Amino acid sequence: MSFALNRRTFLKSASGVLLGLAYLPGSARAGASNAGTVASSASWDDLARSLKGPLLHKDAPDYATIAAPWNLRFAATLPAGIARCVSPEDVRACLHWAQSNEVPLAIRSGGHSYAGFSTTSGLLLDVSLMNEVGDLDASGRVRLSGGARNANVYAALRPLGRAITHGRCKGVGVAGLVLGGGIGFSQRLQGLACDQLVETEIVIASGELLRCNEVDNADLFWACRGGGGGNFGVNTSLTFQTFPVAVVTVFRLVWRSGLDELLPAALALLPTTPDRLGCKLFVEAGKDEQLELVGQLVGTEGELTSLLAPLYRIATPNEQAVRALPYWDSQEFLSEEGPPEYSHERSRYVFRPVPPEGARTVLDFLRRWPTTHDGAQWKIFLAGGAVAAVPTDATAFVHRKALMLSTIDLSWTPEDDAAAVRANQVWLDEFHAAMQPFTSDESFQNFIDEAETNYLRAYYGANLQRLVEIKRKYDPDNLFRFTQSIPLSL
Ligand SMILES: Cc1cc2nc3c(=O)[nH]c(=O)nc-3n(C[C@H](O)[C@H](O)[C@H](O)COP(=O)(O)OP(=O)(O)OC[C@H]3O[C@@H](n4cnc5c(N)ncnc54)[C@H](O)[C@@H]3O)c2cc1C
């Protein structure tokens, strides 16, 4: 593979920028959003020649679709080029080129980073075309390429009657999901997605493709199980131990009244339920207030009814859909589209049962929501079980002993003016702060949050120091950096 651009060529093109003469593909001058991008058009051409996959610039017909992140708050940051990598060699060429040209880069698989950390004004290294799912081996393992999404997992594992822990939104990238731990309705019984990861291949800054598992590069493997996306290199394959699945009872129950009694009761009840139950609770803000419980039970409809009896005794749900279905049909029932939106979600892990005062605080804030043209919710994801059975230092995912993960989810539309969005952000931050006494300072690295001030501790806790050491070993020049990336030192 040839890398035509050297440091001298870079300096030449950099001085071109200083003189206002830099050429960006598809435009004669550098635009404001590309201020950090200094490569010349000739060097971009060199990159294009070194790739098997296409390199897109702003004039490409599909550029806008591929450049757009899930969180539209960050859609204004447009990459000067999008390398649609089709192999680890393409990834290696991009890393080499970006370093030689000092062009900032971001890795993207499913594009669902809450904080827009897979956007850049430089080179977007897009692995989403690398989405193959291999055959199941004799021990039930399956190898995914680094750009596979939940949708690819659904399609490939469904006919096999097997699964891994996965999310509900089909567009989410498996790489982003598993690198931050990976939660899903099966987690209490089967563990996190990262607990089922048995091997990953990763191209590191030096261009080496490393195989990581319990034996080879075991420290980097440890870091890839909860250390967060985009910190150490580009994961080009992910091999999972799958588990067999059969019929499960899925449910969606909605209550529109009695929330003052229902919410504390649900918060006390859910952590006591057996690990066969996986569920998520939402409380919707505003005048259409409602409490919704969604999830799956590896068990019968009758068992579900008796588990949830304390809630049914308070009030009969206004809507209920309960079905016993083969696992993958049940996942269609549970899946959500999750289209792109303007949103900000803030999370806190919960280690002790939320007291009634905590439930009152939730309802009080939701009833004072300043409103947007979209919505706001407080949610909890039930944790524990197999997640908690793994020691907190066995993988980089530190939040093992939590009972639940709580989040506040705020979304809006372009119809909401800047003042309205600001008022909502203030409300969100106050709500987040008010919940701290009932929750904790730990936050989920997959719900990455640019407003979290003590984010390294919040995401990685006692595992942070080791992650920093691994970062220094595998990415000594800090190529893989973004606003909340793991630093070279603390
Ligand atoms: C609608 C929605 C539903 C969600 N549901 C769940 C859920 O059920 N369970 C759960 O655990 N999380 C869930 N999440 C959170 C999700 O796991 C994270 O946002 C995750 O980081 C998204 O990964 P991605 O590949 O789609 O996003 P991207 O934006 O492409 O990537 C996220 C981060 O990982 C890095 N990255 C991406 N690909 C690679 C790679 N191949 N190698 C190295 N780094 C890479 C990126 O640079 C970025 O920093 C959900 C998010 C959304 C928006």
Side-chain angles (χ1 to χ4, degrees):
M1 191 175 302
S2 75
F3 299 105
L5 203 83
N6 57 27
R7 171 104 190 131
R8 234 182 51 222
T9 326
F10 158 68
L11 287 173
K12 232 168 99 191
S13 56
S15 60
V17 168
L18 291 174
L19 293 168
L21 299 172
Y23 286 95
L24 286 171
S27 74
R29 296 161 71 99
S33 67
N34 290 314
T37 305
V38 291
S40 67
S41 65
S43 69
W44 283 101
D45 291 345
D46 289 335
L47 175 62
R49 273 192 295 276
S50 69
L51 299 175
K52 286 222 172 59
L55 178 66
L56 307 183
H57 298 299
K58 287 182 183 155
D59 49 3
D62 44 356
Y63 171 91
T65 317
I66 293 161
W70 173 82
N71 195 334
L72 297 173
R73 274 199 290 153
F74 306 100
T77 303
L78 291 170
I82 306 174
R84 308 210 70 199
C85 297
V86 296
S87 65
E89 289 71 32
D90 276 2
V91 170
R92 181 183 296 143
C94 286
L95 298 186
H96 183 98
W97 182 88
Q99 289 175 92
S100 307
N101 289 275
E102 298 191 9
V103 171
L105 74 95
I107 312 163
R108 180 177 297 174
S109 127
H112 279 64
S113 171
Y114 278 12
F117 292 148
S118 60
T119 54
T120 176
S121 58
L123 173 65
L124 184 60
L125 198 162
D126 168 22
V127 295
S128 65
L129 292 178
M130 298 166 62
N131 58 13
E132 305 82 16
V133 182
D135 293 333
L136 205 67
D137 76 9
S139 50
R141 293 176 172 196
V142 70
R143 182 181 189 275
L144 276 55
S145 294
R149 298 183 184 216
N150 279 334
N152 303 108
V153 171
Y154 277 51
L157 296 189
R158 183 184 186 118
L160 305 174
R162 300 189 71 89
I164 57 174
T165 297
H166 58 82
R168 294 169 74 195
C169 175
K170 292 189 184 178
V172 168
V174 180
L177 181 131
V178 71
L179 293 171
I183 64 171
F185 288 131
S186 299
Q187 65 179 0
R188 298 180 81 213
L189 205 51
Q190 304 287 352
L192 298 165
C194 73
D195 298 330
Q196 296 145 17
L197 188 74
V198 291
E199 187 166 289
T200 181
E201 288 171 310
I202 178 166
V203 184
I204 57 170
S206 66
E208 283 172 277
L209 175 67
L210 300 181
R211 181 195 295 151
C212 308
N213 52 40
E214 290 286 5
V215 177
D216 300 323
N217 302 300
D219 51 356
L220 188 51
F221 182 58
W222 177 89
C224 288
R225 289 180 294 156
N231 279 307
F232 300 100
V234 185
N235 296 72
T236 54
S237 81
L238 303 157
T239 302
F240 290 93
Q241 177 65 55
T242 64
F243 52 84
V245 285
V247 170
V248 297
T249 298
V250 281
F251 56 92
R252 178 173 176 270
L253 309 171
V254 180
W255 286 267
R256 300 213 173 82
S257 57
L259 268 61
D260 293 274
E261 253 190 284
L262 277 166
L263 182 60
L267 294 176
L269 173 72
L270 292 177
T272 67
T273 55
D275 300 343
R276 292 177 293 118
L277 182 74
C279 79
K280 189 168 165 181
L281 174 150
F282 306 67
V283 190
E284 205 71 53
K287 59 181 172 21
D288 298 326
E289 160 177 297
Q290 64 175 38
L291 184 150
E292 184 176 336
L293 203 57
V294 177
Q296 68 185 38
L297 176 74
V298 179
T300 63
E301 196 174 331
E303 285 174 275
L304 180 72
T305 311
S306 59
L307 282 177
L308 300 181
L311 304 184
Y312 282 108
R313 275 200 292 276
I314 295 171
T316 305
N318 298 82
E319 276 178 48
Q320 28 184 341
V322 181
R323 299 196 191 128
L325 292 170
Y327 181 82
W328 284 108
D329 289 342
S330 77
Q331 298 313 301
E332 294 301 334
F333 173 95
L334 292 172
S335 76
E336 59 182 1
E337 263 194 30
E341 61 182 35
Y342 295 86
S343 64
H344 190 171
E345 186 152 341
R346 310 208 63 187
S347 72
R348 287 192 183 280
Y349 272 97
V350 181
F351 291 85
R352 287 167 287 116
V354 177
E357 198 193 335
R360 275 197 298 279
T361 305
V362 169
L363 291 171
D364 178 45
F365 268 91
L366 293 176
R367 287 168 183 162
R368 290 193 282 122
W369 175 45
T371 77
T372 67
H373 287 83
D374 203 339
Q377 302 168 327
W378 185 75
K379 303 188 222 172
I380 60 127
F381 302 73
L382 195 54
V387 179
V390 176
T392 47
D393 60 356
T395 69
F397 185 87
V398 80
H399 324 288
R400 294 281 177 184
K401 306 301 175 195
L403 300 177
M404 303 188 290
L405 168 64
S406 72
T407 74
I408 310 164
D409 183 3
L410 170 69
S411 46
W412 60 94
T413 76
E415 284 182 81
D416 297 298
D417 62 24
V421 173
R422 248 192 327 274
N424 271 276
Q425 292 276 7
V426 169
W427 169 84
L428 174 65
D429 293 343
E430 286 175 359
F431 191 175
H432 185 64
M435 289 309 292
Q436 195 276 340
F438 312 113
T439 56
S440 74
D441 288 331
E442 292 190 25
S443 302
F444 186 24
Q445 51 273 46
N446 266 359
F447 296 170
I448 204 154
D449 175 4
E450 79 284 3
E452 195 58 66
T453 43
N454 198 14
Y455 57 89
L456 289 172
R457 290 280 165 209
Y459 302 149
Y460 307 116
N463 287 336
L464 178 60
Q465 184 57 43
R466 189 166 173 206
L467 283 165
V468 169
E469 284 156 21
I470 295 168
K471 173 78 176 177
R472 268 204 302 272
K473 177 172 169 190
Y474 291 97
D475 185 19
D477 295 325
N478 206 10
L479 173 64
F480 301 104
R481 63 180 179 272
F482 51 91
T483 315
Q484 293 193 341
S485 55
I486 293 170
L488 294 175
S489 64
L490 290 173

